[in-house]
Structures are given as structure tokens and as C-alpha cells.
């Protein structure tokens, strides 16, 4: 049984179809990366999965359980085991770093404060942000905020982690600190879906690559297959343009 | 409590009330434009003026925005005769509300003037525009877009605020309501009808102001 | 004219007059602060109602919108008259002060609700999506994320609104509430010069409203900087 199964997913924004018949699956612990030009539907796919954008058709199954995105309880159950890291970090501006990481475990998962804080501190240590635990988001650089956002996403012990272009808003010199943090996570058995423009990075960490264009998955396969011998014209085009940089 | 509402006696007076609504709009219109005239000078004095004119302008604004228009008009109406100046009730109301409007409009216009970004003026200068061209093409459109919504809101505020003219016996909408209700003794009905007229009047005013704003200044003003 | 005023000054500022004016000032502030506090609570409820998207709340939401949009378009003077003539027969014996305060509540609910709503709407959508993705409920995200970030957008205009109402309560003098303006009228009727009577009232209003509007401006500047 696949850990995550997406079948024939559609989503529309107004009259434009943002996702058209997307099917994709992932085994437990697999790292699947979504590549493709801006506006190809990578972010929308991730937003649909965590219930921020409603799908218009299709089926999503997680660990054998079908998700009903119109049902609050079902969406709640999905978010219980799935976390997302946004492009713009989305850290709560009114909370310290530590509070950002502990708010969901304490308030949503009702864990004891001491335990949640201990866990949060070990996560912050892992992303190299422990000494900033009392800082507010606006006192941190983009890269630092994004590392805190990763810690926050991990604090609820998700078994699926969505990363939505997490380095796109960062200064170039800050990109690597975030990529290093993610690289360290890929061997932990968490199923990961990564939307990214960092080709060298996704090639290195992914088990599979899905190329998206105009709301469809054009091609899906191992990194070496998609990058070195793409079968579709569109993929070849995209990869060659990107790799020229 | 068995009170039976009787609106018919009020509806009979509808033309009279609507005539009052027209007077209300006239007061709002006159005080708005006269106030805007003062406001332009006030804003320019506050932004570009020397030390003294800046002082005078801000004292004027502080004084008039921190005291009730009603008391200001009382002073004009009851105190000036002691100095030998007799004002009619309508004149006193118009002068009082105008001075008040001038103070608020100074602040609104000032916000518009300082909203013009230095960088845009620099860019226009670099393109070789003359001062006049800069004012017409860069500054005014910008100012218009910034102040249009607050100006529209202020006009509505004046329509509602002009009701205090009734206290001095001016026969605008509220004044006529008082006249009718003292005659027919149907006070609640009369004032409910008048309230509806005010709502309709201001909705129409906001809607047409929003329309004008959208067409003339590309402002996306909200009616509600 | 000036001689006459100068003659009256010692009498005007006698003990009883000063106490009379201070009591009136107390009523002005009382109407304003009680009215605006109640208005803040109800305005907050309506603003939150308008933010929610629950289908069951559709009708209350509609009523909330209708209330706000109507009461923001009726002059305070007209509201005062309506409240007076509705409450008097229903609850005879209600004080005029009470009636005026109820009127302030009705109007301030509508205006403060708009101020609070634009404050709530000023919180960027990503903050709310972040809260959703962490499984926060609507109320949790309201109290833990949205409100703590929106109070700085709400407070300055709310303070400016209270300043406006200190002045607008002068209209309650028409009902016969002995607040500042009516106190001035009474003193003038007792034979004091209008310059003295209304001038003193004007100064008192200024003394009440100016510090508060300074505070509102300072608040706005400070919060803008942070």
C-alpha cells in the first residue's frame, strides 16, 4: 500500500483550472520533488493536499484512508499527520521562536508544556536556531525564519512533510543553510513532497522527480531519468533552460 | 404596551421632508467646498509653509477638531451679537460647519500632499518634465487617489453632521422632522421615516461618489 | 461688552458654578466612555461574526451587516430622538443620561465594528493559512494569531473615534442631559455672557479631547514604527 496516493486531482481558481487530472503517489519515507515553471500548479497541489485550497475532483488517500476535503473532521485528521512549510515562512509575527514551535503541540495536540518545550528545543538545536528561541520573527533573517518554520512543521511529528518553494524568497547566500537543514531530514522516514526550483538539490535528495506544466504532471521518474534522459519535449526544454544557468 | 404605528400622517408630509433633504444636501455641499478652500491653504501652509504659517495652520486644526461644532456655532450665534455682529441661524450654521470642515479637510489634504513620493518626482524631473507637468501628471493624480476615499467619507459625515442645524431652527431634514412631529405628535414614526431618508440619501451619495471615483480617478472606493 | 464680561468673571468662577461645570464634564465623559466601551464589545462581536464563514451564522451575519450599515448613516441627533421616544413610553423613569448613553452605544457599536473589522482584515492571509495548516480552529486563530497582530491597527482609530464622541455627546444637550454643552446653555440663561459660558465649555471640551487625540496620534506613530 502506498503511503500517499493522489488520483485524478482537479482544482480550479475561478474559471481557470490550476490542476488538471494530477495523479501521483509516494511510499513511506520517499522524497518526491515537483519541478516545473512558475504557475505550473506545484504550490496548488501542496495547498490542496493540506486543505487550504479545495479540490474540485479527484481522490487523495493517506495510509489507506480516503480524505474528504469537504469534511472538517477529515481535513483535521489530514493536518494532524501532515505539515507544510511555506515559501513566505508564515511564522506567527506575534510569537517568539519557541512559542511558534510549541503552539501547535500545546494548544492543538494538548501535550504538556514541559515536554513540548523540550521537544521544541531539540528541534531548534537541529535547525541551528536554539540560541534564538526568544527572538521574534521580524528580528530574524529569511533563512533563519525558514529554519524555524521547518522546526515548527516538525514539532507535530508529521509523517508527511510538504515543502512549498521554501528557498524562493531567500537571499542567495541564505539558501544553503535551509537546504542543509532539509537534506538532514530526508533520511528520517518522513514522506516528503518538495516543490522547488533548486535543481541540483532536488536531484541529490529525491527518490523521484515529477515534472509539472500547466496543471498536469508531464513526466515522473527517477532523478537521473528525468534530468538526463527526459522522454517528453516539455521536460527536456525546461531542464535544459534551467541547467544553463 | 399597545401602540399602533401610524405612518400615513408622516407619508403625507413626504414632499416636505424631501425638500428638507435637499436643504441638507445644500448645507453639506456648501460647507464641503468652502471647507475644501480653507483646507487647501491649510494643507499647503502645513506642508510647505514657514514657521509662522505652519503654527497658525496647526493651531487652527487643533482648536477646531478638539471642540464640538455645536458649541462653536453657539458662540457664533449667541456671542457675536454682543460684539454687534448679528448672524442669521443659517449663516451661523454654515460658517460654523465650514470652519469645522476646513480643519478636517486640512488634515485630509495634507495626507494627500505628503503621499507623493519623492522618487516619483525625481523620475519625472529626470524625464525632463516641467514643474507644471509634474504637478498635473504626477502629483495631482496621486493626491486625488489618496484623498478620494477620505473625502467621500467626510462628505457623508457632513450630510449627517448638518442635522445639528435643526437646533438653530434651520428647516433642513431634521428641522422639518421636528416641525412635523410637534404638529402630528407621531414622533417615532416621523423620526423613523427621517432615519430611512438619511440612510437612502447617504447610500446614494456614497454610490455616486464611488462611481465618479472609479471613472475619474481609478479609485476602488467601497459603497459599504 | 468686554467690561461686562470682566465684571462677571469673579461671579462666574464661583464655587457652585465650577462644581456645576465639573459635574457636567463628568456626565460628558461618562456617556462617552460607557457608550464606547459597550460599543467596543458589541462592535467586536459583530466584526468577528462578519469574519466567520460558518453557514449557520448566515442570518446573524446579515443582520450584523445591516445594523452597521444603517446606524453609520443616521445622524446622532436623530438617533437620540428615536431612542428617547422609544424608551420613554416603554420604560418610564429612565434617566435622560441613560437614554443618551444607550444612543451612544448604538452608534459606537456600528462605527467601532467597522474599525475592528478593518483591523482584523489587516492581518496578512499567510498568517491565517499558517494557523489553519497547524489545525487551529477559527477561534484559536482569532485569539492566538489575528487579534494579537491587529490591535495596533485597531487602537489608533478607535482612540480617535472616542475623541469624536466626546464632542458628539454635545448633541445630548438637546434631550436635556446636563452635560457640558447644556451646562453652558444654563449658565448663559442665568445671565452670564455667552462668551464666558460657551467659552468656558469650549475650553473644557478642549481639555478633555486634546490629550486623548495627542495620545491617538502618538500611538499611531509608535505602532507604525514598530
Amino acid at each position: 500500500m502506498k503511503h500517499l496516493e493522489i488520483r485524478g486531482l482537479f482544482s480550479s481558481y475561478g474559471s481557470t483550472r490550476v490542476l488538471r487530472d494530477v495523479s501521483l503517489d509516494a511510499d513511506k519515507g520517499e522524497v518526491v520533488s515537483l519541478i516545473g515553471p512558475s504557475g505550473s500548479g506545484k504550490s496548488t497541489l501542496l495547498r490542496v493536499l493540506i486543505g487550504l485550497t479545495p479540490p474540485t475532483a479527484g481522490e487523495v488517500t493517506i495510509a489507506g484512508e480516503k480524505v474528504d476535503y469537504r469534511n472538517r473532521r477529515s481535513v483535521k485528521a489530514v493536518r494532524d499527520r501532515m505539515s507544510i512549510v511555506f515559501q513566505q515562512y508564515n511564522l506567527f509575527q506575534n510569537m517568539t521562536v519557541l512559542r511558534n514551535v510549541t503552539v501547535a503541540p500545546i494548544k492543538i495536540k494538548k501535550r504538556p508544556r514541559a515536554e513540548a518545550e523540550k521537544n521544541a528545543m531539540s528541534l531548534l538545536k537541529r535547525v541551528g536556531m536554539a540560541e534564538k528561541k526568544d527572538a521574534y520573527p521580524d528580528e530574524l533573517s529569511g533563512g533563519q525564519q525558514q529554519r524555524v518554520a521547518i522546526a515548527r512543521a516538525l514539532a507535530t511529528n508529521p509523517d508527511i512533510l510538504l515543502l512549498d518553494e521554501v528557498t524562493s524568497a531567500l537571499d542567495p547566500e541564505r539558501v544553503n543553510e535551509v537546504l542543509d537543514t532539509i537534506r538532514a531530514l530526508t533520511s528520517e522516514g518522513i514522506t516528503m513532497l518538495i516543490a522547488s526550483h533548486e535543481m541540483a538539490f532536488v536531484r541529490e535528495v529525491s527518490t523521484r522527480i515529477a515534472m509539472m506544466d500547466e496543471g498536469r504532471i508531464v513526466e515522473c521518474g527517477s532523478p537521473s531519468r528525468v534530468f538526463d534522459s527526459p522522454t517528453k519535449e516539455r521536460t527536456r526544454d525546461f531542464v535544459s533552460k534551467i541547467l544553463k544557468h | 404596551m399597545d401602540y399602533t404605528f401610524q405612518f400615513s400622517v408622516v407619508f403625507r408630509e413626504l414632499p416636505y421632508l424631501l425638500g428638507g433633504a435637499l436643504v441638507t444636501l445644500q448645507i453639506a455641499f456648501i460647507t464641503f467646498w468652502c471647507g475644501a478652500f480653507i483646507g487647501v491653504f491649510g494643507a499647503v501652509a502645513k506642508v510647505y509653509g514657514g514657521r509662522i504659517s505652519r503654527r497658525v495652520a496647526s493651531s487652527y486644526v487643533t482648536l477646531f477638531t478638539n471642540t464640538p461644532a455645536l458649541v462653536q456655532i453657539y458662540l457664533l450665534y449667541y456671542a457675536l451679537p454682543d460684539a454687534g455682529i448679528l448672524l442669521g441661524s443659517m449663516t451661523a450654521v454654515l460658517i460654523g460647519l465650514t470652519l469645522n470642515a476646513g480643519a478636517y479637510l486640512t488634515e485630509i489634504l495634507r495626507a494627500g500632499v505628503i503621499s507623493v513620493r519623492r522618487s516619483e518626482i525625481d523620475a519625472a524631473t529626470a524625464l525632463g518634465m516641467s514643474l507644471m507637468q509634474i504637478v498635473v501628471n504626477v502629483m495631482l493624480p496621486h493626491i486625488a487617489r489618496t484623498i478620494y476615499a477620505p473625502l467621500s467619507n467626510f462628505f457623508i459625515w457632513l450630510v449627517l453632521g448638518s442635522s445639528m442645524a435643526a437646533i438653530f431652527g434651520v428647516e433642513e431634514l431634521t428641522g422639518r422632522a421636528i416641525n412635523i412631529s410637534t404638529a402630528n405628535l407621531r414622533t417615532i414614526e416621523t423620526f423613523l421615516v427621517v432615519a430611512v431618508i438619511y440612510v437612502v440619501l447617504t447610500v446614494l451619495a456614497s454610490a455616486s461618489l464611488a462611481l465618479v471615483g472609479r471613472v475619474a480617478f481609478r479609485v476602488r472606493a467601497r459603497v459599504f | 461688552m468686554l467690561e461686562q464680561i470682566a465684571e462677571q468673571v469673579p461671579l462666574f468662577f464661583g464655587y457652585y458654578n465650577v462644581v456645576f461645570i465639573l459635574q457636567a464634564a463628568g456626565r460628558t465623559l461618562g456617556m462617552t466612555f460607557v457608550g464606547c466601551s459597550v460599543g467596543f464589545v458589541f462592535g467586536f462581536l459583530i466584526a468577528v461574526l462578519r469574519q466567520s464563514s460558518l453557514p449557520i451564522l448566515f442570518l446573524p451575519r446579515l443582520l450584523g451587516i445591516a445594523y452597521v450599515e444603517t446606524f453609520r448613516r443616521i445622524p446622532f441627533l436623530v438617533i437620540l430622538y428615536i431612542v428617547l421616544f422609544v424608551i420613554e413610553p416603554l420604560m418610564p423613569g429612565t434617566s435622560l443620561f441613560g437614554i443618551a448613553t444607550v444612543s451612544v452605544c448604538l452608534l459606537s457599536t456600528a462605527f467601532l465594528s467597522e474599525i475592528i473589522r478593518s483591523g482584523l482584515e489587516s492581518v496578512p492571509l499567510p498568517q491565517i493559512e499558517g494557523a489553519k495548516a497547524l489545525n487551529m480552529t477559527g477561534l484559536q486563530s482569532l485569539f492566538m494569531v489575528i487579534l494579537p497582530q491587529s490591535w495596533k491597527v485597531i487602537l489608533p482609530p478607535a482612540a480617535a473615534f472616542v475623541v469624536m464622541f466626546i464632542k458628539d455627546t454635545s448633541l445630548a444637550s438637546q434631550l436635556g442631559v446636563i452635560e457640558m454643552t447644556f451646562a453652558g446653555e444654563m449658565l448663559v440663561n442665568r445671565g452670564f455672557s455667552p462668551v464666558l459660558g460657551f467659552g468656558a465649555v469650549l475650553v473644557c471640551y478642549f481639555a478633555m479631547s486634546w490629550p486623548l487625540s495627542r495620545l491617538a496620534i502618538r500611538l499611531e506613530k509608535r505602532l507604525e514604527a514598530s
Side-chain angles (χ1 to χ4, degrees):
Chain A
M1 185 182 64
K2 294 287 183 187
H3 189 211
L4 172 67
E5 264 187 80
I6 304 165
R7 290 277 165 271
L9 205 61
F10 282 82
S11 181
S12 306
Y13 183 81
S15 57
T16 38
R17 287 182 151 182
V18 196
L19 293 181
R20 314 171 192 215
D21 196 14
V22 170
S23 296
L24 186 70
D25 46 39
D27 286 321
K28 180 128 183 63
E30 225 190 330
V31 177
V32 180
S33 289
L34 309 167
I35 61 168
S38 304
S40 57
K42 309 185 295 283
S43 289
T44 308
L45 177 55
L46 300 185
R47 289 173 57 88
V48 168
L49 288 177
I50 198 142
L52 288 176
T53 299
T56 41
E59 219 170 74
V60 174
T61 314
I62 297 171
E65 268 178 63
K66 237 186 89 177
V67 183
D68 177 3
Y69 281 104
R70 272 163 308 184
N71 179 319
R72 276 169 181 263
R73 198 169 298 147
S74 179
V75 173
K76 211 164 150 54
V78 169
R79 290 175 181 156
D80 232 18
R81 58 193 310 166
M82 189 188 279
S83 287
I84 186 165
V85 181
F86 297 93
Q87 180 178 352
Q88 294 291 347
Y89 346 122
N90 299 21
L91 290 181
F92 300 128
Q93 298 293 316
N94 56 316
M95 301 180 191
T96 61
V97 163
L98 183 63
R99 181 101 177 107
N100 258 289
V101 181
T102 55
V103 66
I106 293 173
K107 297 287 177 183
I108 316 293
K109 300 224 161 177
K110 309 287 180 202
R111 300 221 182 101
R113 174 176 293 271
E115 183 201 313
E117 284 185 354
K118 205 171 133 235
N119 185 39
M121 282 316 291
S122 82
L123 284 170
L124 285 173
K125 224 169 265 157
R126 259 172 62 189
V127 299
M129 291 299 297
E131 72 282 10
K132 293 281 188 188
K133 72 179 172 66
D134 293 319
Y136 281 89
D138 58 6
E139 300 162 13
L140 303 176
S141 73
Q144 290 175 319
Q145 289 193 51
Q146 198 56 293
R147 285 187 279 154
V148 174
I150 292 171
R152 181 175 77 175
L154 293 173
T156 48
N157 294 326
D159 48 25
I160 300 176
L161 183 63
L162 312 177
L163 298 159
D164 184 8
E165 312 214 14
V166 291
T167 56
S168 302
L170 300 181
D171 290 337
E173 68 264 32
R174 295 290 185 179
V175 169
N176 279 328
E177 62 188 66
V178 173
L179 294 185
D180 290 341
T181 309
I182 300 169
R183 190 178 289 117
L185 292 175
T186 51
S187 52
E188 302 222 342
I190 304 175
T191 308
M192 286 168 71
L193 246 58
I194 305 177
S196 181
H197 287 294
E198 301 291 334
M199 293 305 151
F201 173 75
V202 298
R203 176 172 192 153
E204 175 202 331
V205 301
S206 309
T207 48
R208 266 182 313 137
I209 304 279
M211 163 75 195
M212 288 189 76
D213 188 36
E214 293 182 340
R216 291 192 180 83
I217 290 184
V218 182
E219 183 163 10
C220 186
S222 70
S224 56
R225 223 212 67 223
V226 173
F227 282 114
D228 300 335
S229 48
T231 53
K232 295 285 193 313
E233 178 66 35
R234 186 71 189 94
T235 315
R236 208 173 300 143
D237 202 45
F238 179 74
V239 167
S240 73
K241 265 186 197 143
I242 287 272
L243 293 184
K244 258 185 218 148
H245 288 304
Chain B
M1 248 338 267
D2 45 356
Y3 181 87
T4 38
F5 281 97
Q6 258 189 39
F7 282 100
S8 57
V9 280
V10 184
F11 287 140
R12 246 195 328 247
E13 304 286 356
L14 212 51
Y16 177 67
L17 286 175
L18 291 178
L22 209 63
V23 180
T24 291
L25 280 180
Q26 280 168 350
I27 296 175
F29 229 80
I30 293 169
T31 50
F32 182 83
W33 287 110
C34 296
F37 187 74
I38 299 176
V40 169
F41 285 100
V44 169
K46 272 193 108 170
V47 179
Y48 301 110
R51 229 172 60 93
I52 295 170
S53 52
R54 247 188 359 238
R55 254 265 157 65
V56 171
S58 36
S59 307
Y60 162 65
V61 171
T62 312
L63 202 68
F64 277 84
T65 54
N66 282 300
T67 50
L70 180 60
V71 182
Q72 293 161 17
I73 302 173
Y74 270 145
L75 265 173
L76 288 173
Y77 194 60
Y78 293 110
L80 281 183
D82 282 1
I85 306 169
L86 253 165
L87 295 179
S89 55
M90 183 66 153
T91 321
V93 166
L94 284 179
I95 293 177
L97 282 179
T98 297
L99 289 174
N100 231 272
Y104 285 101
L105 288 168
T106 296
E107 283 302 289
I108 294 175
L109 294 175
R110 189 184 70 100
V113 173
I114 59 176
S115 75
V116 179
R117 262 167 275 155
R118 189 71 236 176
S119 60
E120 288 186 30
I121 298 178
D122 288 346
T125 318
L127 285 173
M129 284 193 193
S130 70
L131 181 64
M132 200 57 206
Q133 283 173 318
I134 292 176
V135 169
V136 173
N137 295 312
V138 182
M139 291 179 71
L140 282 184
H142 207 106
I143 294 173
R145 235 169 304 156
T146 323
I147 63 176
Y148 193 80
L151 280 186
S152 315
N153 287 339
F154 188 72
F155 180 76
I156 301 300
W157 187 86
L158 274 176
V159 170
L160 301 179
S162 66
S163 65
M164 74 177 70
I167 294 169
F168 300 88
V170 174
E171 297 196 340
E172 41 67 78
L173 186 48
T174 307
R176 293 192 179 189
I178 295 172
N179 287 351
I180 294 179
S181 63
T182 41
N184 67 14
L185 300 177
R186 290 283 162 187
T187 319
I188 296 178
E189 289 92 331
T190 308
F191 278 96
L192 283 178
V193 169
V194 163
V196 171
I197 297 178
Y198 271 111
V199 171
V200 172
L201 204 62
T202 52
V203 166
L204 285 179
S206 319
S208 36
L209 283 169
L211 193 70
V212 170
R214 203 167 296 184
V215 175
F217 305 106
R218 289 184 290 123
V219 188
R220 283 206 279 138
R222 293 179 8 173
V223 180
F224 291 110
Chain C
M1 170 196 162
L2 286 176
E3 281 163 34
Q4 185 210 350
I5 294 174
E7 232 167 69
Q8 285 182 349
V9 166
L11 197 60
F12 184 82
F13 289 104
Y15 175 74
Y16 287 104
N17 279 1
V18 171
V19 170
F20 179 64
I21 290 181
L22 286 180
Q23 278 176 341
R27 284 193 201 96
T28 290
L29 289 179
M31 278 188 287
T32 307
F33 286 110
V34 173
C36 288
S37 309
V38 174
F40 197 89
V41 173
F42 285 106
F44 176 77
L45 291 177
I46 294 180
V48 170
L49 197 66
R50 287 181 79 166
Q51 293 300 98
S52 96
S53 54
L54 291 177
I56 337 161
L57 293 177
F58 178 76
L59 199 64
R61 198 155 55 231
L62 214 61
L63 288 175
I65 294 172
Y67 177 86
V68 170
E69 294 305 336
T70 312
F71 275 76
R72 284 171 64 223
R73 294 173 179 281
I74 302 174
F76 185 48
L77 190 56
V78 173
I79 291 180
L80 279 168
Y81 280 127
I82 293 178
V83 173
L84 172 71
F85 289 112
V86 167
I87 288 190
E88 264 201 330
L90 286 181
M91 284 178 281
T94 309
S95 71
L96 291 171
F97 176 81
I99 289 171
T101 307
V102 168
S103 311
V104 178
C105 292
L106 288 173
L107 201 56
S108 66
T109 297
F111 278 95
L112 288 170
S113 161
E114 275 302 277
I115 290 172
I116 294 167
R117 183 169 73 113
S118 57
L120 298 182
E121 281 176 359
S122 74
V123 176
L125 188 64
Q127 292 286 313
I128 297 158
E129 293 194 328
K132 261 195 199 162
L134 287 180
N135 245 345
M136 285 192 192
T137 63
L139 281 183
Q140 277 174 326
S141 108
L142 176 67
F143 283 107
M144 292 185 334
V145 178
I146 300 174
L147 266 187
Q149 294 187 48
S150 53
W151 66 267
K152 58 167 110 176
V153 185
I154 294 173
L155 275 189
F161 177 80
V162 175
V163 173
M164 200 182 94
F165 243 97
I166 290 179
K167 296 177 285 162
D168 278 2
T169 53
S170 64
L171 292 169
S173 61
Q174 295 312 301
L175 300 193
V177 181
I178 307 176
E179 43 65 73
M180 289 287 298
T181 306
F182 198 55
E185 274 182 69
M186 286 170 79
L187 289 172
V188 172
N189 285 340
R190 276 185 218 162
F192 287 106
S193 150
V195 177
L196 219 47
F198 291 125
V201 166
L202 212 65
V203 170
C204 284
Y205 273 114
F206 190 82
M208 292 190 277
S209 117
W210 189 61
L212 204 60
S213 54
R214 292 283 300 183
L215 184 77
I217 293 167
R218 283 245 313 263
L219 213 59
E220 190 167 5
K221 285 211 176 111
R222 253 219 0 240
L223 295 171
E224 228 168 47
S226 71

